Amino acid sequence: THAESALRFARLTDDEQLRTFALNSVAISQEKAGQLDDAERNFQETLVYWEKLGNRWNGSNALANLADIADLRGNLPRALEIYEKILATRIELNDRRGQVRAVSAIASLLRRLHRADDAVARLLSARPLAESIGGHRILAEFYGTLAQAQESGGDFAAALVTERLAA
């Protein structure tokens, strides 16, 4: 209800950016509530706005939301396709954290598509970047994803070592 109120008030202004941020908040709430059609429509609208402005950073965030919807719908190949576009954009923008997060999302999708070896390879190639950024949150997420991929690939010893790093 707070997000819907924010959107209602944002619509009373002439500030399209404010309205777009409020619409994104509504879409996040809709996604969490399982209202995927409404959330997808609203995320798509935010993407159109950011693309119109040429704001590739926020556009890639909108794409990530759409990829998450595809994932929730079970369309893993579509989610993977979108995340590959997100990764390319984040590389061009030199968004290092975004690159690590995109590779982690790609690896998670690859693992669930029964391509654990591909997932591990992608993660290992991104590992130096993740470690150079540092920080508990990014490393815990990265190592957790790597451990799952290693386990799915049957490399239980490596997964155990990586889980310890995540912890």
Side-chain angles (χ1 to χ4, degrees):
T1 59
H2 292 348
E4 290 170 353
S5 292
L7 180 58
R8 212 171 23 260
F9 289 124
R11 285 183 173 144
L12 297 174
T13 72
D14 291 330
D15 189 336
E16 277 300 300
Q17 185 170 336
L18 180 65
R19 188 196 65 77
T20 300
F21 281 127
L23 181 63
N24 190 70
S25 294
V26 168
I28 290 168
S29 296
Q30 291 167 329
E31 178 184 353
K32 288 179 181 179
Q35 300 166 351
L36 300 183
D37 291 339
D38 293 333
E40 183 173 21
R41 184 185 70 253
N42 289 327
F43 285 141
Q44 186 64 44
E45 186 176 331
T46 65
L47 175 61
V48 168
Y49 173 77
W50 296 122
E51 285 178 339
K52 183 177 101 179
L53 288 182
N55 187 323
R56 298 177 68 216
W57 187 288
N58 285 343
S60 73
N61 290 334
L63 275 175
N65 291 328
L66 289 167
D68 292 343
I69 295 288
D71 186 352
L72 288 169
R73 292 182 188 272
N75 190 346
L76 302 184
R78 175 70 180 139
L80 180 60
E81 176 186 327
I82 296 170
Y83 263 108
E84 292 288 2
K85 290 179 187 176
I86 293 165
L87 177 59
T89 299
R90 290 179 176 173
I91 290 170
E92 290 173 20
L93 296 174
N94 197 30
D95 175 4
R96 298 173 66 221
R97 288 180 187 274
Q99 290 173 46
V100 171
R101 289 194 174 110
V103 169
S104 293
I106 289 167
S108 176
L109 291 163
L110 288 170
R111 179 183 57 80
R112 290 182 288 143
L113 286 165
H114 308 289
R115 296 173 52 192
D117 291 342
D118 293 337
V120 169
R122 293 293 291 266
L123 289 163
L124 291 178
S125 70
R127 187 176 188 164
L129 178 60
E131 290 175 345
S132 74
I133 294 168
H136 173 73
R137 181 177 175 195
I138 198 159
L139 289 176
E141 291 173 3
F142 178 82
Y143 289 138
T145 303
L146 177 56
Q148 289 175 338
Q150 290 168 325
E151 184 177 327
S152 292
D155 191 350
F156 300 109
L160 180 60
V161 170
T162 305
E163 284 177 358
R164 288 181 178 155
L165 285 172

